[in-house]
Amino acid sequence: GESVGLHLPTLSVQEGDNSIINCAYSNSASDYFIWYKQESGKGPQFIIDIRSNMDKRQGQRVTVLLNKTVKHLSLQIAATQPGDSAVYFCAETGPNQAGTALIFGKGTTLSVSS
Amino acid sequence: KAGVTQTPRYLIKTRGQQVTLSCSPISGHRSVSWYQQTPGQGLQFLFEYFSETQRNKGNFPGRFSGRQFSNSRSEMNVSTLELGDSALYLCASSLNPGGATEAFFGQGTRLTVV
């Protein structure tokens, strides 16, 4: 079946470094992508989203890049902080999905050491 | 404004029993989706409700059901519980259905089946 996956299950960085978390998706019809952050004991928290008519979107310390040619999504976190330590999920939905059903990747655990 | 509220936070049930979980969406949000999160399968879409109607359903057996009330609050029910139903059940609310809509998650209900 179609799914969204992440390249690496874990990523360890030093405080202050930039982090890049990658995600590959398989449904070329998907037109909306979201990155979520999930801390231990909490539900996923919305970070940033991007529609398929864009290739880059910036937020506060975060940037999402979308490469539709190779069906790749990435999340860049600038000046990573210990509070950024969490599991990061990419999710997609598309025109063939009625409603807002999201397909999630497996997640990347980001560990930030100070 | 208040976020998505899920009750109870934790639940322990015996195999064969049934369980009902509750979700109150963000005020004004009319779409509620449910997801199951397990270490092995990750986050998987269960179903979505809008205006008291199920709009979309994931690939789960009929033991999993849900409903939405006129105030947009939603409940999901799992009958004849199995050990494999142990998971974090997450509810997400969004303003409207139809894809490309930011979804906000609650903290989840941790269900343990023994």
Side-chain angles (χ1 to χ4, degrees):
Chain A
E2 295 165 335
S3 65
V4 178
L6 288 171
H7 292 302
L8 293 174
T10 61
L11 177 65
S12 297
V13 300
Q14 292 283 326
E15 181 179 2
D17 286 351
N18 295 332
S19 303
I20 300 176
I21 301 172
N22 296 306
C23 174
Y25 65 94
S26 58
N27 185 357
S28 57
S30 294
D31 60 1
Y32 181 57
F33 304 87
I34 312 173
W35 280 100
Y36 284 95
K37 170 187 179 183
Q38 187 174 24
E39 297 173 287
S40 180
K42 297 183 178 180
Q45 176 187 357
F46 175 91
I47 300 174
I48 191 167
D49 59 1
I50 188 167
R51 298 173 192 260
S52 60
N53 61 353
M54 305 171 67
D55 53 21
K56 180 179 179 179
R57 189 157 189 235
Q58 288 184 290
Q60 187 175 18
R61 283 201 306 117
V62 294
T63 300
V64 56
L65 299 176
L66 175 63
N67 185 332
K68 293 181 287 295
T69 302
V70 295
K71 291 186 286 187
H72 183 268
L73 193 68
S74 69
L75 176 70
Q76 300 178 358
I77 305 174
T80 313
Q81 303 168 0
D84 294 327
S85 294
V87 181
Y88 289 80
F89 295 94
C90 62
E92 55 129 344
T93 189
N96 59 340
Q97 292 281 354
T100 54
L102 294 169
I103 300 172
F104 281 86
K106 293 291 186 185
T108 290
T109 299
L110 175 65
S111 299
V112 183
S113 52
S114 53
Chain B
K1 56 183 175 182
V4 178
T5 304
Q6 291 188 246
T7 56
R9 287 292 312 279
Y10 303 93
L11 207 50
I12 299 175
K13 288 288 189 178
T14 303
R15 195 170 43 181
Q17 287 186 311
Q18 67 92 27
V19 67
T20 299
L21 312 181
S22 179
C23 171
S24 294
I26 292 171
S27 178
H29 284 194
R30 299 167 63 195
S31 176
V32 174
S33 301
W34 289 89
Y35 293 81
Q36 181 196 65
Q37 186 175 28
T38 59
Q41 298 300 317
L43 278 150
Q44 293 187 293
F45 172 75
L46 279 158
F47 27 65
E48 180 193 16
Y49 288 87
F50 177 75
S51 292
E52 303 176 63
T53 301
Q54 187 180 89
R55 284 180 52 92
N56 200 1
K57 190 177 191 302
N59 189 25
F60 278 82
R63 300 185 297 108
F64 292 80
S65 63
R67 58 178 176 169
Q68 186 180 36
F69 301 95
S70 58
N71 61 358
S72 295
R73 190 177 71 85
S74 178
E75 290 181 346
M76 68 162 282
N77 184 80
V78 188
S79 61
T80 320
L81 284 165
E82 300 176 0
L83 296 179
D85 296 333
S86 295
L88 180 67
Y89 289 88
L90 292 158
C91 166
S93 81
S94 54
L95 198 57
N96 289 303
T101 306
E102 186 176 336
F104 296 87
F105 282 84
Q107 295 203 68
T109 293
R110 172 75 62 187
L111 172 65
T112 302
V113 182
V114 297

